[in-house]
Amino acid sequence: GGKDGINTTIINFNNEKMQITWATRALFPNENVTFFYTFGEGKHKVWKPCTTYLLDPDYNSGCIFKTEGPTLAISIRNNDGSEEIFSKQLKADFYIKPSPPENVTFFWEEDTVTVSCNKPERNAWCLRLELQYKSKFDKEWQSRTSKCCSVGEQGFDPRKCYSFRVRLMRLVPYCNVVKYSSDWEAETFWMNGTLLDSCDDEITPQSKTVIVLSCSLAVLLMMLILLILLCKWQRVQMSVLPAIPDPKYPFADLFNDHNGNLQEWLYQNDHVVLPTKLEYEEPESIIEAESQQEDGMNSDKQGPLEKIFTFSGAAENNDGKAAEISCLIPAPNTMAPFAGFHILMNDDMYVMF
């Protein structure tokens, strides 16, 4: 509740400018306050009014002014500045927030990376360089801190893409009473010593070519498998469901000449098939006659001399069928002249001497 009980936030941006803020709504809900500051020590202080206020939303909640020395005195007063509400004297150097590191470089050697930056002109021993990194497979950042202004780490996988970011930190309590760090330097992406736009570019052109070839081979393999399955399916279909032959090919004349009229086709085919049967029977008759002649020759060797002769009248007859019939069925008690002899033929035999 006293003058020293008001909480303020004090930031000295790289020892260049000061920013002091306070909780306006909690401390001064119904009035607007004014701010004064001075650098230096002594009883005769020259107070300077704030020219750049921070608003929340319409009330003064902070002030920004230039850093002019290591010792700072501040005063918060009422609206017209006639009454002091809060005052404090402090060391400005204990509230320094460093600027982001400048000219950051990465040096890669196998699985080791070394990060360095420009060394500040003042109080570099109060600073620490912090390196954070993670791959796309890591959920949290890995951190490494070293003296300003170089830090190294090893164990990086050249096949992975890593995100890097660095910042400067002030030592507490030797240099700062508040643990202030600089803002992070712009995040960069590296893979095996090569700077990338992002880890989405981790796929190299060579790997893209491999992916395209793999996809093409997979498509060709699938087409080949489908073709084999189709051929096997056709074989199975033919074995299970054989094709029904089209009757128009074996019976072309039935459909072409008779328009499918079966009775008309059968009627005309009777005249065509009959000569075919007769022509086919002639070789059978000849074979039968030859077999009978062979039987006669065999009988000459075993028994009395008997031969089959053809009648002279049958020989003079041009009809081969009539001669064949007369040989096979002789008339009873017929005398057949042969070489000055008369041969008697009866029902039981063809030739008698």
Side-chain angles (χ1 to χ4, degrees), residues 20-86:
I20 300 178
T21 57
W22 54 86
T24 301
R25 293 185 180 181
L27 298 175
F28 316 107
N30 299 321
E31 62 177 318
N32 203 2
V33 296
T34 56
F35 181 84
F36 294 85
Y37 67 94
T38 183
F39 287 92
E41 298 179 0
K43 296 181 179 179
H44 304 285
K45 298 178 181 178
V46 179
W47 294 95
K48 297 181 181 180
C50 179
T51 58
T52 305
Y53 280 101
L54 300 176
L55 302 180
D56 181 25
D58 297 326
Y59 293 93
N60 297 333
S61 63
C63 180
I64 297 177
F65 51 95
K66 183 179 179 181
T67 302
E68 298 177 358
T71 304
L72 172 65
I74 61 174
S75 176
I76 299 177
R77 305 176 183 180
N78 58 2
N79 191 18
D80 57 7
S82 60
E83 182 182 354
E84 185 177 75
I85 301 175
F86 171 77

Side-chain angles (χ1 to χ4, degrees), residues 27-252:
L27 298 175
F28 316 107
N30 299 321
E31 62 177 318
N32 203 2
V33 296
T34 56
F35 181 84
F36 294 85
Y37 67 94
T38 183
F39 287 92
E41 298 179 0
K43 296 181 179 179
H44 304 285
K45 298 178 181 178
V46 179
W47 294 95
K48 297 181 181 180
C50 179
T51 58
T52 305
Y53 280 101
L54 300 176
L55 302 180
D56 181 25
D58 297 326
Y59 293 93
N60 297 333
S61 63
C63 180
I64 297 177
F65 51 95
K66 183 179 179 181
T67 302
E68 298 177 358
T71 304
L72 172 65
I74 61 174
S75 176
I76 299 177
R77 305 176 183 180
N78 58 2
N79 191 18
D80 57 7
S82 60
E83 182 182 354
E84 185 177 75
I85 301 175
F86 171 77
S87 65
K88 185 176 184 179
Q89 187 170 343
L90 52 94
K91 290 289 186 180
D93 292 344
F94 284 176
Y95 297 88
I96 293 178
K97 178 181 176 67
S99 298
E102 298 178 354
N103 194 21
V104 179
T105 58
F106 290 80
F107 177 73
W108 288 78
E109 185 177 4
E110 295 181 354
D111 66 339
T112 303
V113 60
T114 302
V115 183
S116 59
C117 65
N118 289 347
K119 189 175 183 180
E121 296 179 357
R122 298 173 54 187
N123 297 328
W125 66 273
C126 286
L127 298 175
R128 292 292 182 266
L129 181 63
E130 181 182 9
L131 169 67
Q132 287 191 348
Y133 60 90
K134 68 175 181 178
S135 70
K136 61 187 303 182
F137 304 102
D138 298 327
K139 295 182 179 180
E140 298 180 354
W141 290 94
Q142 306 295 322
S143 182
R144 171 71 68 177
T145 304
S146 182
K147 293 182 180 181
C148 184
C149 291
S150 179
V151 59
E153 184 60 69
Q154 62 183 4
F156 292 97
D157 190 344
R159 298 169 298 180
K160 294 181 180 179
C161 178
Y162 292 90
S163 303
F164 290 91
R165 64 182 184 181
V166 292
R167 67 179 178 178
L168 291 174
M169 303 172 58
R170 288 277 291 187
L171 289 178
V172 176
Y174 306 102
C175 300
N176 265 32
V177 295
V178 181
K179 189 176 181 180
Y180 282 147
S181 301
S182 70
D183 295 334
W184 290 104
E185 179 66 12
E187 187 175 350
T188 56
F189 306 92
W190 295 81
M191 179 178 178
N192 196 21
T194 302
L195 180 64
L196 304 176
D197 293 335
S198 68
C199 279
D200 295 335
D201 301 333
E202 185 176 356
I203 301 177
T204 60
Q206 182 179 2
S207 60
K208 290 182 179 179
T209 304
V210 172
I211 292 175
V212 171
L213 291 177
S214 302
C215 294
S216 302
L217 291 176
V219 171
L220 292 177
L221 182 60
M222 291 182 63
M223 293 178 63
L224 180 61
I225 293 175
L226 290 176
L227 183 61
I228 293 173
L229 292 177
L230 181 61
C231 294
K232 289 188 176 182
W233 169 249
Q234 289 181 350
R235 290 183 181 180
V236 172
Q237 189 176 13
M238 290 178 63
S239 61
V240 176
L241 300 174
I244 300 175
D246 194 344
K248 69 179 180 180
Y249 295 108
F251 304 97

